[in-house]
Amino acid sequence: MIQKITFGSPFPTEAVVVPVEEGSLSRFTLRETEHGRLFSCPLAKTDAVYGLGETMRGINKRGGRYVSFNTDDMRHRADMPSLYGSHNFIIVDGTEPFGAFFDTPTCVTFEIDYRKSGKLDVLCEQDVTLYLIDGESAYDVTRQFLQIIGQSFIPPLWAFGYGQSRWGYKTKKDYDGVVAGYRKAQIPLDYICMDIDYMDRYIDFTLNPKHFADLKEYARQMKEQGVRLVPIIDAGVKIEPGNETYEEGVKNGYFCVNEDGNPFSAAVWPGMTHFPDFPQPKAREWFGNEYHKLTELGIEGFWNDMNEPAIFHSEYSSSADYAKDKKFRESDYKRFFHTVDGKRIRHYDVHNLYGYMMTRAASEQLDKLLDKRFLLFSRSSYVGSHRYGGIWTGDNRSCWAHLRQIVYQLPSLNMCGILYTGSDTGGFSGNTTRELLIRWLAVSAFTPLMRNHSMIATRRQECYRFSDVQEFKQIIDFRYRFLPYLYSEYVKCALRRDMLFKPLAFVYGEKAKHIEDQLLVGDSVMMTPILEKGKTTRTVFLPEEMTMVRYDGSFHCATVPEGTMEISVPLDEIVFFIRKGKLVPVGKGGNNTSEIDLSDVTLLGDGTEYEQYLDDGFTKQCTLDDVRVLKK
Ligand code: GLC
């Protein structure tokens, strides 16, 4: 059962898309404080607390303090309160499981048994609509929530392929080298992301005149080889006479403004920029339509970045101020405004919606510009973003802790609707190692977005640059053979409003509550990755009898009993498990997704039937009519 209670007049976020009955406050007590409304409820010692999407720490959020305030910060330490997205849905899993979604677009602080307080405290700085959900289990509560926030974005099949990216690719030679490197190593590749250097001086919707003046022809040649180009689009539009996007935006009042009504200026990659007023519907339509400058050149996928929005410094504060104290950024967020329905809205008051509205701007227009499904993922997000695109988890580091973090983030993001997601495989900043990259690939082999991305001036981490490239090939080959299952499960989850990645506790309850480094992937699979340096074995908890599958170039299956077992996982192998009575279709693989035949599969596991979602991989209308039953 779901009820909503409105406190004050919150800004409409459009996170929830179906009508919900009005109710009255239960579960929480409410206290008005000088910092906002404080909702509190007691937590029993054994209650687990889930949700909160893209936050740090484990799957069970107990013991932590989390602040929803979208932030561009590379230091993904365990105690970092804020990352790039805000997903204020939380689930208390105890004797009477319930969920609460605090729908408010600015700062919310969650303290969950913080310093052993024995309570859940949620401080909402501003007006809020609270959705309360009662259910039979944490999983049931989550599925009810997924029903009210609408269907997740479904990208084309090629977006489930392997992608290479790096900040620092500048010329065609760089991109050609990537294709040649992967081809020579016979490692599949579906797309290459184009970071900011493809543009003319980082100006959105322009092309570097020296290297990419003929992007249309180049994109065509790449596609002929089965590789798509996926350019980045940043939120800030460079202030420069002659820059069409800038001129049109100024003329039509499509940028965020200062108190005096003039466009607000802040520095990002291109230098001083204006920020599109994404909460304004007309500005969204205009900015989204600008993507036609690239779709006309044959581009079918984009990543949206710097959309918290990130600010290096502004017309009010210098970069030295910014480096000193992040309070300067918050002050700037208070200094500029959106114009919605003729009313001025202070940016700070709707801050967490900015990336969401940018994704929406792009998605709604790409849907009009293209006759096929497209790839779109963003850095910043809010609940509701999942209907328009995916996200990647931002600027992580090449370290084992950040590999482990994505395993925690996957189910938490899925609880908030975000299905299309993944991390910078190998790590963004810092220098990766061969071992870390292979183990990271073995995790990303299960995530919808499987992209190797790294920062300029770090160690090059394209797979073909390492010794014994065969080991990398085997892991990525596995991904392509696993695609018939992954793609089918993904689309079914989107259509049925389900999670792709579930904590074991969501299915096996109490006995699996302590397990955080194994995940259920779709309806049949349990993944059990190696997340530690130097390890080639790990302990696996088996909540029931399962089929153990080892991939070493081919699939080997064995039935294993309930309990715990030690498995060995050499660097070039993948070991996963299939739940009792379930099946997993695997295919023959290919050099890219266009070579994959999703219908030519072998069924692994001891089940009797598998429901496979099957389509051409790009058709816009996905429906459950395209589910066929495979029998073993
Ligand atoms: C931001 C992005 C990163 C990108 C860089 C340059 O840091 O998060 O992925 O490579 O900007 O565009």
Side-chain angles (χ1 to χ4, degrees), residues 72 167 195-196 232 234 269 303 305-306 379 392 394-395 424 428 451 453-454:
D72 164 30
W167 175 15
D195 208 317
I196 47 177
I232 194 169
D234 283 343
W269 297 127
W303 48 313
D305 192 21
M306 308 304 272
R379 194 170 69 177
W392 92 100
D395 298 344
D424 284 353
F428 177 69
R451 179 179 74 140
H453 181 49
S454 57

Side-chain angles (χ1 to χ4, degrees), residues 551-564:
Y551 181 77
D552 64 1
S554 43
F555 292 95
H556 308 276
C557 296
T559 307
V560 288
E562 179 180 343
T564 52

Side-chain angles (χ1 to χ4, degrees), residues 323-536:
K324 241 186 337 215
D325 191 346
K326 79 173 208 273
K327 283 274 169 275
F328 282 97
R329 191 169 296 137
E330 271 176 42
S331 316
D332 276 340
Y333 288 149
K334 287 181 180 159
R335 282 189 179 117
F336 70 89
F337 296 82
H338 302 285
T339 312
V340 183
D341 295 334
K343 273 203 295 223
R344 284 274 160 85
I345 315 272
R346 195 181 289 277
H347 172 75
Y348 179 91
D349 297 343
V350 292
H351 172 69
N352 293 338
L353 299 184
Y354 197 74
Y356 162 31
M357 290 297 150
M358 180 181 184
T359 309
R360 180 173 174 181
S363 187
E364 286 182 338
Q365 297 311 311
L366 286 172
D367 195 31
K368 292 186 189 145
L369 294 167
L370 295 167
D371 56 7
K372 298 186 254 232
R373 301 203 306 261
F374 49 83
L375 169 59
L376 178 64
F377 58 97
S378 164
R379 194 170 69 177
S380 186
S381 61
Y382 181 78
V383 172
S385 297
H386 69 289
R387 299 194 298 270
Y388 302 103
I391 67 155
W392 92 100
T393 54
D395 298 344
N396 59 12
R397 206 178 159 73
S398 300
C399 65
W400 291 87
H402 287 184
L403 168 58
R404 179 174 290 269
Q405 191 59 46
I406 182 66
V407 176
Y408 301 152
Q409 286 172 326
L410 289 166
S412 311
L413 283 164
N414 280 198
M415 289 171 207
C416 301
I418 296 167
L419 290 186
Y420 189 80
T421 188
S423 59
D424 284 353
T425 301
F428 177 69
S429 69
N431 296 321
T432 202
T433 65
R434 185 175 186 279
E435 182 194 4
L436 177 63
L437 177 56
I438 295 190
R439 291 302 191 198
W440 210 311
L441 286 164
V443 169
S444 299
F446 292 89
T447 66
L449 169 66
M450 185 189 191
R451 179 179 74 140
N452 178 335
H453 181 49
S454 57
M455 186 172 165
I456 196 164
T458 58
R459 177 183 185 178
R460 301 294 299 248
Q461 63 186 41
E462 297 87 0
C463 299
Y464 54 81
R465 289 182 186 271
F466 293 84
S467 59
D468 291 335
V469 86
Q470 176 63 26
E471 297 196 335
F472 293 83
K473 172 176 164 52
Q474 194 144 296
I475 302 298
I476 299 175
D477 277 347
F478 163 78
R479 159 62 164 232
Y480 280 71
R481 298 194 63 179
F482 189 64
L483 269 179
Y485 175 76
L486 185 64
Y487 179 70
S488 161
E489 289 300 299
Y490 182 98
V491 181
K492 284 190 298 178
C493 284
L495 295 175
R496 293 175 173 159
R497 315 286 197 269
D498 204 344
M499 299 163 69
L500 181 65
F501 294 96
K502 294 187 282 277
L504 265 57
F506 274 37
V507 171
Y508 298 104
E510 204 55 40
K511 68 174 171 185
K513 243 180 175 169
H514 59 293
I515 302 294
E516 299 215 331
D517 61 355
Q518 303 173 201
L519 294 175
L520 296 170
V521 188
D523 191 42
S524 308
V525 166
M526 179 172 79
M527 66 186 272
T528 54
I530 298 273
L531 303 171
E532 274 172 74
K533 179 175 185 292
K535 283 261 171 150
T536 50

